[in-house]
Amino acid sequence: MDELSSFEKMPKFDAFYSAINRRSPFPWQSRLAAQVAKKEAWPREVGVPTGLGKTACLEIAIWWLASQADRAGTKRTAPTRIWWLVNRRLLVDSTYDHARKIRRALRNPGEDDITGQSAAVLRTVAERLRSLASSPEAEPLEVIRLRGGVASHRPGDPSRPTVLLSTLPMYGSRLLFRGYGSSRSMRPVDAALAGTDSLVLVDEAHLARHLTRLLPTLTECTAEAQQILGGLRSRPQIVALTATGDASAEDRFDLDKEDEANSIVRTRLEADKLLELWTESGDAGLRLAEAARHLLRPPTKPAACLVFANTPATARSVFWHLQTMFPRREATLLLLTGRTREREAERTRERILDPVEGMPATPDHRVDRKQHLIVVATQTLEVGADIDAEYLVTETCGVRALTQRLGRLNRLGHFPNARAVYVHLPAPRRKGQKAGDPDQWPVYGHEPATVLRRLQAELDQTAATVSLSPRHISGILGEPGDHPGRAPELMPGLLWEWVKTTTPPEDEAPVEPYFSGISDGSSYAVSLMWRAHVPEEGERLWPRATDIEAVDVPIADFRRALDEDEEIRRIGPDGVTIEPISGEELRPGDTVVLPSDRGLLDAFGWNPDSVLPVFDVSVATRGLPLNPDAIKRLCGVAAGELINKALGKRHDHEDSDEAEQAEAIAELLERLRGATPNGWNKSEWDAMVSDLKPEVVSAKSEVSRLPLNWPILEEPRIDELDETSLSLADTARDLDLHGRAVGARSRTIAERMGIRSDLIDMVERAGRLHDVGKADRRFQRWLNPTGDGSTTPVAKSDMPRSRWSTARIAAGWPRGGRHEDLSARLVRHWMVTGRDHLDPSHADLLIHLIISHHGSGRPIVPPAIDESTATVSSSIEGFPAEASADLSIVDWNQPSRFRRLNDRFGPWGLALLETIVRQADHSVSAGARIHELEDL
């Protein structure tokens, strides 16, 4: 791509920041932006204390990227994707809210009442960002949140500027080709998006030390690989955001004298935080609750108090004790842990961030409470929560955790009487512990003993408090004494096994220890979701799992909650098909579907003692499954006969006519309106039933359902399986035109990203030829059963999904057959007959990009049962090509080809080239307008 010169002059960082935030940046924010732009690299560590606007690193990264939009892609050094990582799922995620604010301002400044020069600044930055993406209609910035083990979204265009907010396990598992929530065939795509062209900002990076040490090891494992992007963009660039880091002075960015002179910075650094020290024993929950009551005792006016507990179990105990201490008229009590589902967390979040009754850390926050607000939380509020409390209670913890927790007390320096209580409790006795053994606390190891000693040494005997303002806290608490533990050494051979995503071994090594460290397994989690309809073995889940309905729970805790020999249902490697397993077969990152009447969840999240029915989020957002067990769970109505009639079945095995079906649906809806819902409030239930459309939707291997009577806004679903893509009628159904469109889009994406020019030619050609195997007569009969064989070959079909399987069998296409295998055969024949003289490495790449465009061929394409003696033929660039159509034939050269390409480009480089072709295909199949074809 040529240098671009048509843009408006790039605004200064201060103007960009002020346009979004309506205030000037702090001196350190402007200085860091200038340093990054000058050095074209980030420091290894940003050591700014909490409460001083570290989220501005997003503005800096976005501004830096926009400033390079007028460079050729090969000369750009600013990464396209900006990852913001936290160690755990956050229920109050201020960074995500801020990222959405930036996206909204760039998309339409007027939406936030931004006018004048500020709007002009934002429009210039937006135009520059938009120019980097392959589609001119794209929004200037995409924002995606990956929260739990269920991945419902990923960037659709690797060239599009994107902010991704993710937990450490979601990012780490993707980086190592085992993405939690990813289907098996999409793992290479997710790995490429995590492992290339990415700036990784790690919030409170002391919680992710194994990841920060893993990335250099990955570089060493692939040191001989060719770089396919300019600068450092072929690998992730990691930046630690932490005030308690360990980088050397030259690698660390800190505050300076100019910051100290800023009145707002100075106020926050000197904000009073007087801490009382309690050394207690007994019930931790009771002691923490008593400390909160002590802080809020009369004549204290209504105030906000945070109570930090170290475990969800202790947090629930605190919450229960507070309910007995504070009548409802005196205090609003909230409980928030990392095991809270999004539906329930949203309600709690709204109350915490309420501009009047909540505790948001905003300069214009009006404190006008009618009663106390007490929030009991685990570590989920330590990081990422921009909240400001007047009082705080914390359980025994380490230096870093105490620093973070106190960062939520008097955060802006507006509460002159802010106070905290540190409740030190003895470490529980360990099994086999001998006299003289050092004490060890859950989560924090030996460190709490050091914290206690240092606090006691600084205690003001007259006031019985310690002053822990942000300016002085590090000097009082000293260096952290925590130890992240060990992580296993990553060997190239192990990485090679993970890279083989098509047929991974059943007992492969888990990836979690390599980015989270070796543990006793207590931190390894599975995602749980509750559905009224749980499919049988081999059936597909409808609707697909989403992160808003999932809760992450440690595997050990979930196993303890299961009944003996209880069978559970897990979502399989394809992301939709259900498979039954036992609790012992669970692995980290699995997603389990539980019946909604199983319990284990209440209004504040995971509760193994709860037997109450659980609200099914999917029914409220997608529609009613027509399944007798599901409806029984939802409202207790026995509706088997009505459902059969609605589906066109009767007990006498005769088909119901349309009138009988309509009558059955109407009667079912009437009975639902009068039913008492389980786990729903009546108003929500009535609204859902009223919104149901009286039309049955059926699909092969999925439950039939009544959809909701309003449009569901979601991106078109492009799956790795042909059976899914068949139903998407796109703008290029003609097979040749579809290939040309994908080739053109592949080239545009690669050019925008700055891929090497020789590789751009290969991805374009792979996109153009990826579907030539669909010319097979059987495949064409499958796509177009009414065709006479003389029609122009098509790439897609608008056939209803319910007819896919029947049409495939009638066409003679074997189950599991891969058309991309035929495409690769045809291209190989075309090359060996002398039609093209490609360099051997380019020939390898072309064949691999074609054979892997649905996730196969890593390292092999599994054969199908086929006895065809026919051939498939196509014209490739004007020359005839022909190959066997027998899909039982295995290309045994593919594994060595795959190995050579991994050695040449590195695992993530090769995966990125695959991703360009695959996502170009996805966008064309979804009906995207291909501007590059307008002149063809």
Side-chain angles (χ1 to χ4, degrees):
M1 186 170 64
D2 295 332
E3 298 277 358
L4 303 175
S5 58
S6 60
F7 293 121
E8 295 289 334
K9 183 178 179 181
M10 181 66 193
K12 299 291 186 181
F13 172 75
D14 287 17
F16 174 60
Y17 181 92
S18 300
I20 291 172
N21 298 286
R22 307 188 190 201
R23 63 178 182 274
S24 298
F26 290 142
W28 77 262
Q29 295 166 337
S30 299
R31 194 170 71 257
L32 179 58
Q35 177 179 312
V36 168
K38 180 179 180 180
K39 295 185 175 181
E40 300 204 3
W42 281 72
R44 195 181 120 201
E45 197 168 273
V46 176
V48 176
T50 184
L52 291 179
K54 280 187 296 186
T55 54
C57 289
L58 287 180
E59 279 99 334
I60 295 170
I62 294 165
W63 172 81
W64 183 40
L65 176 59
S67 73
Q68 296 191 357
D70 52 359
R71 296 186 183 185
T74 53
K75 297 180 180 179
R76 185 155 51 86
T77 57
T80 305
R81 283 175 295 284
I82 303 159
W83 292 80
W84 185 285
L85 299 192
V86 293
N87 190 47
R88 59 182 65 88
R89 184 180 180 216
L90 301 180
L91 275 299
V92 178
D93 190 350
S94 300
T95 308
Y96 174 60
D97 294 336
H98 189 64
R100 291 194 300 171
K101 175 183 176 181
I102 298 172
R103 177 184 63 186
R104 188 170 60 245
L106 289 169
R107 178 178 57 200
N108 180 10
E111 192 174 340
D112 279 348
D113 297 324
I114 302 173
T115 58
Q117 184 59 34
S118 292
V121 165
L122 293 175
R123 282 193 291 269
T124 297
V125 173
E127 178 190 2
R128 285 171 162 265
L129 293 173
R130 193 177 284 112
S131 72
L132 297 172
S134 65
S135 172
E137 290 96 359
E139 287 192 5
L141 184 70
E142 187 172 14
V143 174
I144 294 172
R145 179 164 60 174
L146 302 172
R147 289 176 291 195
V150 179
S152 57
H153 193 32
R154 64 175 54 85
D157 175 0
S159 66
R160 181 180 176 186
T162 304
V163 172
L164 297 105
L165 302 108
S166 172
T167 61
L168 172 64
M170 292 292 274
Y171 175 81
S173 63
R174 277 160 175 66
L175 181 67
L176 296 180
F177 290 84
R178 288 298 179 271
Y180 294 165
S182 299
S183 63
R184 183 174 294 170
S185 66
M186 293 304 287
R187 285 172 175 174
V189 174
D190 287 331
L193 297 175
T196 65
D197 206 9
S198 292
L199 174 67
V200 183
L201 302 172
V202 187
D203 196 5
E204 295 312 318
H206 62 275
L207 300 173
R209 280 174 280 180
H210 294 300
L211 176 68
T212 58
R213 295 168 185 172
L214 172 64
L215 291 177
T217 303
L218 297 179
T219 301
E220 292 172 8
C221 287
T222 58
E224 301 301 318
Q226 298 177 7
Q227 304 298 301
I228 66 172
L229 289 169
L232 298 176
R233 291 170 54 225
S234 286
R235 59 180 183 267
Q237 302 173 41
I238 191 162
V239 180
L241 310 178
T242 179
T244 53
D246 55 7
S248 61
E250 58 268 23
D251 289 332
R252 182 177 171 87
F253 181 91
D254 279 310
L255 301 181
D256 68 2
K257 292 181 179 179
E258 187 180 2
D259 297 299
E260 296 281 353
N262 182 277
S263 60
I264 298 176
V265 173
R266 189 169 59 250
T267 296
R268 296 184 186 181
L269 285 176
E270 297 175 354
D272 253 347
K273 306 184 186 195
L274 297 178
L275 181 139
E276 298 179 40
L277 178 60
W278 290 16
T279 53
E280 300 287 335
S281 60
D283 182 352
L286 177 60
R287 298 294 174 258
L288 293 169
E290 289 173 340
R293 182 173 61 182
H294 162 74
L295 290 173
L296 297 172
R297 65 188 175 189
T300 303
K301 66 179 183 180
C305 180
L306 266 175
V307 183
F308 278 106
N310 292 342
T311 66
T314 301
R316 278 194 173 270
S317 175
V318 175
F319 186 71
W320 183 86
H321 284 297
L322 287 172
Q323 287 177 313
T324 67
M325 295 176 181
F326 288 91
R328 289 188 177 182
R329 66 179 181 276
E330 291 185 13
T332 297
L333 301 176
L334 301 175
L335 173 64
L336 196 63
T337 76
R339 301 179 193 174
T340 306
R341 191 172 59 167
E342 178 60 22
R343 165 187 159 79
E344 289 73 28
E346 176 63 27
R347 300 180 181 189
T348 303
R349 185 163 53 241
E350 287 177 357
R351 299 175 78 175
I352 293 175
L353 298 179
D354 182 89
V356 176
E357 294 291 331
M359 56 175 83
T362 53
D364 56 351
H365 178 213
R366 293 189 299 109
V367 181
D368 186 22
R369 306 184 195 282
K370 297 180 177 60
Q371 58 181 198
H372 297 308
L373 172 63
I374 308 174
V375 179
V376 183
T378 53
Q379 294 94 327
T380 189
L381 285 186
E382 281 183 16
V383 180
D386 201 9
I387 54 179
D388 196 1
E390 296 146 87
Y391 300 105
L392 183 142
V393 176
T394 173
E395 187 179 359
T396 309
C397 60
V399 170
R400 301 183 202 269
L402 182 55
T403 302
Q404 286 302 311
R405 293 176 183 186
L406 289 173
R408 273 70 201 162
L409 174 68
N410 197 18
R411 189 172 177 85
L412 303 183
H414 293 168
F415 301 124
N417 299 313
R419 291 165 59 207
V421 176
Y422 181 86
V423 181
H424 179 86
L425 293 148
R429 301 296 296 177
R430 307 190 307 277
K431 184 178 180 180
Q433 184 175 357
K434 300 176 182 178
D437 285 351
D439 289 333
Q440 184 166 325
W441 284 259
V443 182
Y444 300 106
H446 309 305
E447 196 177 15
T450 303
V451 172
L452 176 64
R453 187 173 63 252
R454 291 173 179 171
L455 289 174
Q456 288 173 330
E458 295 292 332
L459 196 65
D460 183 325
Q461 298 301 328
T462 303
T465 59
V466 181
S467 178
L468 291 172
S469 66
R471 185 185 297 282
H472 301 297
I473 190 170
S474 62
I476 293 171
L477 295 182
E479 289 296 319
D482 57 336
H483 191 278
R486 253 183 351 104
E489 182 181 0
L490 180 63
M491 305 299 289
L494 182 57
L495 176 61
W496 169 240
E497 292 304 311
W498 288 333
V499 167
K500 296 187 286 190
T501 54
T502 302
T503 53
E506 289 187 9
D507 297 320
E508 66 180 356
V511 295
E512 182 111 7
Y514 292 86
F515 53 77
S516 293
I518 297 172
S519 75
D520 58 5
S522 61
S523 62
Y524 298 164
V526 293
S527 291
L528 307 181
M529 51 186 290
W530 286 259
R531 291 286 182 91
H533 176 249
V534 181
E536 296 296 326
E537 179 179 3
E539 294 181 348
R540 293 164 64 94
L541 183 72
W542 177 89
R544 286 197 172 195
T546 62
D547 57 359
I548 66 170
E549 57 180 328
V551 172
D552 288 352
V553 174
I555 292 178
D557 288 4
F558 180 51
R559 284 172 176 159
R560 281 193 293 268
L562 294 173
D563 297 332
E564 187 176 356
D565 299 326
E566 180 177 355
E567 184 181 81
I568 53 180
R569 305 293 170 86
R570 173 177 64 187
I571 300 178
D574 64 356
V576 288
T577 302
I578 294 296
E579 54 186 35
I581 59 169
S582 68
E584 294 304 314
E585 295 175 285
L586 283 168
R587 293 175 64 88
D590 279 348
T591 299
V592 175
V593 184
L594 295 171
S596 59
D597 58 358
R598 179 62 178 84
L600 308 180
L601 192 80
D602 65 16
F604 294 104
W606 164 256
N607 181 358
D609 297 324
S610 176
V611 295
L612 298 175
V614 179
F615 182 91
D616 183 344
V617 176
S618 71
V619 172
T621 57
R622 298 299 302 275
L624 180 74
L626 291 177
N627 174 272
D629 291 337
I631 291 177
K632 188 85 170 187
R633 289 189 184 108
L634 285 167
C635 61
V637 170
E641 187 175 343
L642 278 178
I643 289 174
N644 281 334
K645 287 183 179 179
L647 296 176
K649 305 172 185 176
R650 297 194 315 197
H651 67 276
D652 57 8
H653 303 294
E654 294 292 331
D655 290 340
S656 303
D657 59 29
E658 291 184 4
E660 288 178 309
Q661 289 179 258
E663 183 180 342
I665 294 172
E667 185 178 345
L668 175 62
L669 291 175
E670 187 60 33
R671 292 178 66 176
L672 294 178
R673 291 187 190 98
T676 302
N678 297 321
W680 297 54
N681 65 50
K682 194 66 168 71
S683 61
E684 286 178 316
W685 176 260
D686 290 343
M688 184 278 295
V689 175
S690 297
D691 281 339
L692 290 173
K693 185 183 295 187
E695 297 176 3
V696 175
V697 174
S698 299
K700 186 72 174 178
S701 299
E702 290 181 356
V703 66
S704 298
R705 58 263 187 185
L706 297 181
L708 292 171
N709 201 21
W710 38 269
I712 297 169
L713 300 177
E714 60 179 356
E715 291 190 356
R717 191 178 85 191
I718 307 294
D719 197 276
E720 62 275 10
L721 301 175
D722 289 326
E723 289 83 357
T724 304
S725 64
L726 293 183
S727 67
L728 295 170
D730 70 76
T731 55
R733 285 185 60 193
D734 176 280
L735 181 58
D736 178 64
L737 183 56
H738 174 75
R740 293 161 66 199
V742 173
R745 175 55 61 91
S746 298
R747 171 172 283 277
T748 301
I749 292 173
E751 287 176 340
R752 294 289 191 272
M753 294 188 71
I755 299 293
R756 280 176 19 200
S757 59
D758 60 319
L759 302 181
I760 291 176
D761 293 339
M762 289 303 101
V763 297
E764 178 187 22
R765 183 171 283 181
R768 194 165 67 245
L769 302 177
H770 75 288
D771 269 353
V772 292
K774 287 183 177 179
D776 180 275
R777 287 184 288 273
R778 297 169 299 173
F779 204 90
Q780 286 300 306
R781 284 197 298 270
W782 184 12
L783 292 174
N784 186 15
T786 61
D788 60 5
S790 63
T791 56
T792 300
V794 296
K796 303 292 175 183
S797 171
D798 55 6
M799 183 191 309
R801 291 177 60 188
S802 59
R803 292 174 51 197
W804 291 345
S805 182
T806 302
R808 177 188 62 78
I809 294 170
W813 183 262
R815 182 182 180 88
R818 305 306 314 170
H819 72 269
E820 58 268 34
D821 196 0
L822 301 185
S823 298
R825 290 181 196 177
L826 289 169
V827 173
R828 289 202 307 271
H829 179 266
W830 168 66
M831 289 192 297
V832 299
T833 54
R835 305 303 184 187
D836 198 18
H837 302 285
L838 290 178
D839 173 272
S841 64
H842 286 162
D844 275 353
L845 180 60
L846 177 61
I847 293 300
H848 177 74
L849 293 180
I850 290 171
I851 211 166
S852 65
H853 81 265
H854 281 298
S856 267
R858 300 178 59 89
I860 203 163
V861 179
I865 298 175
D866 193 9
E867 297 179 353
S868 175
T869 58
T871 59
V872 56
S873 59
S874 181
S875 174
I876 297 180
E877 299 192 356
F879 295 95
E882 186 175 81
S884 169
D886 184 356
L887 289 164
S888 68
I889 299 173
V890 177
D891 177 9
W892 292 111
N893 291 318
Q894 176 59 19
S896 58
R897 181 185 299 121
F898 180 57
R899 183 62 190 249
R900 288 194 299 272
L901 291 168
N902 272 278
D903 291 342
R904 184 178 300 276
F905 300 113
W908 294 274
L910 179 61
L912 179 61
L913 296 173
E914 294 174 30
T915 297
I916 292 171
V917 175
R918 295 183 67 181
Q919 294 199 310
D921 186 21
H922 290 180
S923 64
V924 173
S925 295
R929 184 183 177 202
I930 308 300
H931 292 262
E932 297 88 341
L933 283 179
E934 291 179 350
D935 297 327
L936 294 182

